[in-house]
Amino acid sequence: MNLLLLNPSDFISENSVRLTGRALKHVLDVHRAQEGDTLRVGLVNDRMGEGIITSLTEEALELDITLTEQPPKPLSLTVLLALPRPKMLKRSLQHLATLGAKKIILLNSYRVEKSFWQSPWLSEEKIHEQLILGLEQARDTLLPEVILEKRFKPFVEDRLPELMEGKRGLVAHPVGGSQCPHQIEEEVVLAIGPEGGFIPYEVEKLEEAGFERIHLGSRILRVETAVTAITSKLFD
Ligand code: SAM
């Protein structure tokens, strides 16, 4: 946790907050901080700055805070992520939040197991938890938007064209296509397949919608690795 992310409900006065739970535990166990120490803080979807510890007990942490800095610039990236298994979903959401993606669409695909859509990790609360972990890692405050699209074809045919306006679509697929571009300036919509990969029909539908097929070489990467490696390369 490189930043304590604050919620409006944490405020006990205009410039002071009171934290319990995970943040308190982290400050006690990892930072091993003391009264008078300064910690990096940020308010969700708002500015960042510093907090001076005014009180620290086993029950609560209180800080006087000053929020003066803007969060880092978001990536010009929308990710279409074929819904991975819960363990990988958690890590992928964290990585994407850390990297600065601000729109993530969890998409159905032929090789997504139906049971994944029933996972408790898809609840708003659980998704929020993973995004917060990612933002705290990166020192960012801007929460990504996460959208669930449970039907591939209606999404690609009806909603994707609008989403694609003015953007460059890239579908990551280990077979065919061209080398993943790097250091690009355009806004990107990046599609990442499920653990079994997109089926040819899905790649073709995305190509019809204007996507280019790209690869990162012959090594097959796990979903969470592919997301990170491709994003890093695109926006290096
Ligand atoms: N057997 C699957 C296939 O051949 O498509 C492997 C799927 S891989 C575990 C999951 C997703 O990560 C892929 O659908 C793709 O989007 C992305 N990916 C993994 N390795 C990649 C590579 N070398 N180039 C491009 N995309 C890759």
Side-chain angles (χ1 to χ4, degrees):
M1 191 189 287
N2 297 311
L3 179 84
L4 284 179
L5 258 185
L6 311 171
N7 289 296
S9 59
D10 296 325
F11 281 75
I12 49 177
S13 75
E14 197 184 339
N15 295 314
S16 57
V17 293
R18 185 171 198 272
L19 303 172
T20 56
R22 192 174 61 86
L24 170 65
K25 190 168 179 339
H26 188 84
V27 170
L28 287 172
D29 299 349
V30 181
H31 286 286
R32 296 176 186 269
Q34 298 177 344
E35 283 178 19
D37 286 356
T38 301
L39 301 173
R40 300 276 308 168
V41 297
L43 177 59
V44 169
N45 288 330
D46 207 313
R47 287 161 303 160
M48 313 193 301
E50 289 184 344
I52 298 172
I53 300 178
T54 53
S55 165
L56 180 58
T57 68
E58 293 290 327
E59 279 72 47
L61 160 68
E62 291 184 10
L63 300 151
D64 278 351
I65 60 155
T66 323
L67 300 174
T68 51
E69 298 160 41
Q70 293 300 324
K73 196 167 166 263
L75 289 184
S76 308
L77 175 68
T78 297
V79 177
L80 301 184
L81 181 65
L83 183 66
R85 70 182 62 236
K87 202 166 134 192
M88 222 167 265
L89 169 68
K90 284 158 60 182
R91 291 200 292 244
S92 301
L93 288 174
Q94 281 184 35
H95 291 332
L96 284 169
T98 298
L99 289 163
K102 296 301 172 197
K103 190 164 191 164
I104 303 165
I105 297 172
L106 299 174
L107 180 62
N108 195 32
S109 154
Y110 185 77
R111 292 196 178 122
V112 168
E113 270 188 39
K114 286 198 172 55
S115 64
F116 293 173
W117 287 106
Q118 311 309 324
S119 166
W121 291 99
L122 276 181
S123 70
E124 219 173 293
E125 188 195 344
K126 294 288 181 196
I127 287 178
H128 183 85
E129 275 175 22
Q130 301 311 311
L131 299 176
I132 292 288
L133 290 173
L135 293 179
E136 287 173 344
Q137 176 63 39
R139 284 194 180 150
D140 188 358
T141 63
L142 302 178
L143 265 177
E145 177 188 15
V146 177
I147 297 166
L148 309 191
E149 286 286 354
K150 297 187 180 177
R151 293 173 67 211
F152 181 89
K153 193 165 173 260
F155 167 71
V156 171
E157 289 182 352
D158 304 337
R159 290 182 284 290
L160 190 54
E162 192 183 338
L163 189 90
M164 282 282 287
E165 270 173 33
K167 304 190 184 77
R168 182 169 174 187
L170 302 173
V171 49
H173 196 57
V175 186
S178 50
Q179 274 278 355
C180 177
H182 76 290
Q183 293 184 333
I184 64 174
E185 304 286 334
E186 303 139 285
E187 275 200 51
V188 170
V189 181
L190 171 67
I192 302 278
E195 284 163 271
F198 283 124
I199 59 171
Y201 167 81
E202 291 168 336
V203 178
E204 282 157 23
K205 287 298 281 181
L206 289 168
E207 285 177 327
E208 274 170 30
F211 279 66
E212 301 159 47
R213 198 186 290 211
I214 54 135
H215 69 81
L216 264 190
S218 60
R219 292 175 193 274
I220 305 295
L221 308 174
R222 283 176 192 267
V223 171
E224 78 212 62
T225 315
V227 158
T228 309
I230 295 172
T231 304
S232 314
K233 190 158 185 203
L234 290 174
F235 298 101
D236 179 15

